[in-house]
Amino acid sequence: MKRLLLQLLALWSFSLSRCESTFVPYDYSATVECLDKPLKPQYNGGIIVNPDLRDGPQAWLPFGNAKIEFKDIGHDKFVVARERKQPHDSVSQKVHLEKGRLYTFSAWLQVNNGKAPVSAVFKTNGEYKHAGSVIAESKCWSMLKGGLTVDESGPGELYFESNDTRVEIWVDSVSLQPFTQEEWNSHQDHSIHKERKRTVRIRVVNSKGEPVQKASLSIEQRKLGFPFGCEVEKNILESHAYQNWFTKRFTVTTFANEMKWYSTEVVRGKEDYSIADKMLRFFKKHGVAVRGHNIVWNDPKYQTKWLNALSSREFYNAVKRRVSSVASRYKGQLEGWDVVNENLHFSYFEKKMSPKASYNIFKMAQAFDPTSTKFINEYNTLEEPRDSDSSPAKYLKKLRELKSIVVRGNISLGIGLESHFKTPNIPFMRSALDILGATGLPIWLTEVDVEAPKNVQAKYFEQVLREGHAHPRVKGIVTWAGYSPTGCYRMCLTDGNFKNLPTGDVVDKLLHEWGGFRRQTKGFTDADGFFEASFFNGDYDLKIDHPLTNFKASHSFKLVSDVSSNTQPSSFAFRL
């Protein structure tokens, strides 16, 4: 039998000719710092007239009872809305909005004194569509980035609002860019090819280095590179059918209740981790990672009953013991921790301990488990632009507070976005991910589900999953739709017989696209001994068969998203 040489070249190629057409590319950039001068309008303003105010008052009008003036300071021209009596008193521009278009919006804002939240709103067909918000500051410019769709085509009017009527609203560098659904999909395709896939070149040569033609290749994706999973409860331990259904599909999970304080310490001082331990052992055995959820929950409705009877000192000691116990027990075994769940919306521990309670609990978690990623975990940051409590700007503010923690090294923070949608505003979702992604921190969609009529639920669910998977800053997705005999939270993927529901069919459809279910690719080497194809990141098994030489070989390889490796091919040579 001849000796053959196998060369595997993972080529980090971003050639996307099929996506590079006349479509306007999407600008994923965002700025989270407050700058001395605003940047230029994205997309040159898109459909906004006079976006950088170079032409003074052209196309800009007062809204409500505000007085507006146009200023030029240091060659920077902008418009000011002053003498505001109502939140909506500001500056506006009329636009035409089309149904079926996806609009991405941006503007640079400043206030004349202190800090104030400012929102961008579109009035159209009797509705008010909130596109996004930012905490504007005095003496520097902040970027607001958002997005919207409309239900009917027709005239619209952009304006800005702030509940703080004492401040002037300064506006510059405004952009509104429409995209067709086809263009939006092309952005996703382009990002996936760049961030989630690699081009692999395999070459087969003989012992003399000569190419071997028509060698048969079979490549099977053994494991997805992108973490994708579903939440579970303890009932999975008792059902082999559920276990088989789950482990065929997912690479990561979250325990819905079993690690939470109200489950592990029902009686004060009597901790019981037996169920969580058993679940963790099961998923380790099957190669499924587990997210830690959660150390404490800031919602007063979800506390273990005995906590409220404690004195201040007893309460503090109980919290410290809880953090120490659960963080130490699972140290090094989890895919990060949700530390203080939903601490932008709720403040149970702040009221019981101090205004810095969440900060101090993160600090405790860092002390007991310094290597894990500690996540803020919140809802409505992606789902609802009207929710000011958990806006991207408020999320950034909390991240800045926690970033200062230095205990046994700098704290490693992560961005957890629950993603409990109703009717998804996909352009706003993307823009919010852009803003949070500008921090450089890992983003996970942690509890994805959709509460919507059955005829559109699966459609909306697919939209959210595709957008999350395609975004370059998202590092993992967990859906919140595990089966429970007592009923799922908002949606199920499967029925009690573990037959897919329409939402489960969406999961399977996407897994087939992303290389799940041990997807196989087959082919033959060409006249130069090469075989080339594009693959999603992940773990692969390769089999080579050349009948004329009676030669067979097997090999395993891994494709990862590694920007540092993008300029040089990875080469593996084996003399067989």
Side-chain angles (χ1 to χ4, degrees):
M1 183 174 64
K2 293 183 178 179
R3 296 168 125 193
L4 299 180
L5 180 67
L6 167 67
Q7 294 180 324
L8 175 65
L9 302 177
L11 304 179
W12 317 114
S13 170
F14 301 133
S15 177
L16 299 171
S17 58
R18 68 187 184 90
C19 296
E20 293 171 355
S21 61
T22 58
F23 292 159
V24 176
Y26 182 81
D27 188 346
Y28 286 95
S29 68
T31 303
V32 294
E33 297 82 17
C34 201
L35 304 182
D36 291 337
K37 291 186 177 182
L39 300 182
K40 293 181 179 179
Q42 292 189 324
Y43 312 100
N44 293 317
I47 62 172
I48 295 293
V49 178
N50 188 21
D52 54 8
L53 284 301
R54 293 296 177 188
D55 295 322
Q58 182 187 359
W60 293 100
L61 302 167
F63 193 85
N65 295 313
K67 301 289 192 297
I68 64 172
E69 62 178 306
F70 297 86
K71 290 190 174 183
D72 185 348
I73 298 178
H75 305 292
D76 181 24
K77 296 183 178 182
F78 55 94
V79 60
V80 175
R82 55 183 178 81
E83 297 182 32
R84 302 174 52 250
K85 305 299 182 185
Q86 300 294 328
H88 61 261
D89 290 344
S90 65
V91 60
S92 72
Q93 183 169 137
K94 297 184 184 300
V95 293
H96 183 83
L97 302 174
E98 294 184 41
K99 182 180 179 180
R101 294 290 192 267
L102 298 97
Y103 292 90
T104 185
F105 174 80
S106 64
W108 288 80
L109 302 171
Q110 187 174 162
V111 293
N112 65 320
N113 187 39
K115 298 181 180 181
V118 181
S119 300
V121 184
F122 286 82
K123 181 182 178 182
T124 175
N125 296 314
E127 292 186 296
Y128 294 85
K129 298 275 189 176
H130 284 243
S133 64
V134 71
I135 299 175
E137 303 181 32
S138 60
K139 300 180 181 178
C140 60
W141 292 91
S142 299
M143 184 184 190
L144 184 159
K145 192 171 188 183
L148 75 154
T149 60
V150 293
D151 302 321
E152 296 179 32
S153 298
E157 189 167 12
L158 160 68
Y159 69 94
F160 300 88
E161 67 177 27
S162 174
N163 289 331
D164 188 347
T165 57
R166 298 169 299 174
V167 300
E168 298 176 353
I169 299 176
W170 300 9
V171 181
D172 199 356
S173 291
V174 185
S175 173
L176 182 65
Q177 177 63 40
F179 294 104
T180 65
Q181 187 65 59
E182 187 179 8
E183 288 175 309
W184 199 264
N185 295 344
S186 78
H187 304 150
Q188 293 177 345
D189 289 344
H190 185 279
S191 180
I192 286 170
H193 276 77
K194 182 178 179 181
E195 302 292 335
R196 310 283 184 229
K197 301 184 79 173
R198 295 292 177 261
T199 296
V200 173
R201 174 180 284 184
I202 297 168
R203 193 181 193 207
V204 179
V205 298
N206 62 25
S207 58
K208 297 179 181 180
E210 298 167 339
V212 176
Q213 186 178 4
K214 295 184 179 180
S216 173
L217 304 178
S218 174
I219 304 170
E220 181 178 276
Q221 184 164 0
R222 185 166 15 98
K223 186 176 182 180
L224 292 174
F226 181 84
F228 181 58
C230 182
E231 150 271 345
V232 293
E233 297 183 32
K234 62 185 179 181
N235 62 298
I236 196 170
L237 295 174
E238 309 302 326
S239 172
H240 291 296
Y242 190 10
Q243 293 171 9
N244 292 335
W245 181 90
F246 190 98
T247 55
K248 280 173 57 180
R249 289 164 172 80
F250 300 121
T251 60
V252 64
T253 189
T254 301
F255 302 166
N257 297 296
E258 289 74 11
M259 282 187 177
K260 289 173 180 170
W261 197 358
Y262 58 62
S263 295
T264 62
E265 196 176 358
V266 178
V267 178
R268 183 185 179 191
K270 295 183 178 180
E271 295 179 327
D272 182 1
Y273 290 99
S274 59
I275 295 174
D277 288 350
K278 192 173 182 180
M279 292 173 71
L280 185 59
R281 285 194 299 270
F282 169 79
F283 286 110
K284 277 185 178 180
K285 178 182 177 181
H286 289 276
V288 177
V290 176
R291 295 192 71 255
H293 180 77
N294 50 58
I295 293 181
V296 296
W297 195 346
N298 228 355
D299 189 337
K301 293 188 297 184
Y302 299 105
Q303 306 303 325
T304 187
K305 293 180 180 179
W306 51 266
L307 261 180
N308 288 323
L310 302 183
S311 67
S312 296
R313 173 53 57 183
E314 289 172 331
F315 189 94
Y316 174 83
N317 288 335
V319 171
K320 187 174 181 180
R321 186 173 62 250
R322 160 63 180 176
V323 179
S324 169
S325 173
V326 74
S328 300
R329 186 179 194 89
Y330 297 117
K331 181 179 178 181
Q333 301 182 69
L334 303 176
E335 191 76 29
W337 266 114
D338 295 332
V339 179
V340 184
N341 203 44
E342 299 174 352
N343 68 326
L344 296 179
H345 281 100
F346 303 108
S347 55
Y348 174 77
F349 291 95
E350 280 73 15
K351 290 174 181 175
K352 298 289 286 186
M353 293 169 67
S354 76
K356 292 195 70 176
S358 292
Y359 179 94
N360 290 329
I361 293 169
F362 268 88
K363 193 173 180 180
M364 291 178 196
Q366 173 69 8
F368 293 117
D369 184 4
T371 60
S372 69
T373 302
K374 283 87 182 169
F375 284 83
I376 298 175
N377 193 46
E378 264 300 345
Y379 64 90
N380 278 357
T381 307
L382 300 183
E383 304 97 304
E384 180 49 74
R386 289 175 177 265
D387 190 341
S388 60
D389 289 335
S390 59
S391 67
K394 290 287 183 67
Y395 206 114
L396 289 171
K397 182 181 178 183
K398 179 61 70 174
L399 284 171
R400 292 186 185 107
E401 293 172 7
L402 298 175
K403 194 176 180 181
S404 65
I405 294 174
V406 181
V407 178
R408 301 177 67 186
N410 294 326
I411 191 168
S412 178
L413 293 172
I415 296 170
L417 304 168
E418 293 185 10
S419 308
H420 295 297
F421 285 89
K422 293 183 179 179
T423 302
N425 178 346
I426 295 297
F428 175 77
M429 176 185 175
R430 185 182 287 185
S431 70
L433 291 171
D434 295 345
I435 295 165
L436 296 171
T439 64
L441 298 176
I443 297 175
W444 279 64
L445 309 190
T446 56
E447 305 180 17
V448 180
D449 62 12
V450 174
E451 185 179 32
K454 295 299 182 183
N455 64 321
V456 293
Q457 186 180 49
K459 172 186 173 183
Y460 291 166
F461 185 50
E462 182 175 348
Q463 288 175 354
V464 171
L465 292 179
R466 286 191 181 279
E467 192 63 43
H469 177 257
H471 198 280
R473 293 298 185 180
V474 174
K475 304 305 179 184
I477 297 175
V478 178
T479 65
W480 207 261
Y483 174 74
S484 171
T486 59
C488 303
Y489 177 56
R490 286 183 174 173
M491 58 173 251
C492 292
L493 299 179
T494 177
D495 64 17
N497 295 315
F498 303 101
K499 301 297 183 183
N500 276 1
L501 299 172
T503 49
D505 288 339
V506 166
V507 166
D508 285 3
K509 173 184 176 182
L510 295 178
L511 284 172
H512 279 295
E513 287 186 23
W514 301 343
F517 298 113
R518 301 187 75 90
R519 177 178 175 179
Q520 288 192 344
T521 301
K522 296 181 181 292
F524 296 89
T525 54
D526 62 17
D528 296 316
F530 285 108
F531 172 80
E532 184 171 307
S534 180
F535 295 91
F536 279 95
N537 295 330
D539 298 347
Y540 288 85
D541 292 328
L542 167 66
K543 293 182 180 179
I544 307 169
D545 185 2
H546 196 264
L548 296 180
T549 61
N550 197 28
F551 172 78
K552 294 183 179 182
S554 299
H555 176 57
S556 297
F557 63 93
K558 187 182 187 74
L559 298 177
V560 298
S561 179
D562 185 357
V563 175
S564 64
S565 300
N566 287 346
T567 57
Q568 298 292 331
S570 296
S571 178
F572 308 95
F574 302 90
R575 190 171 295 277
L576 305 173

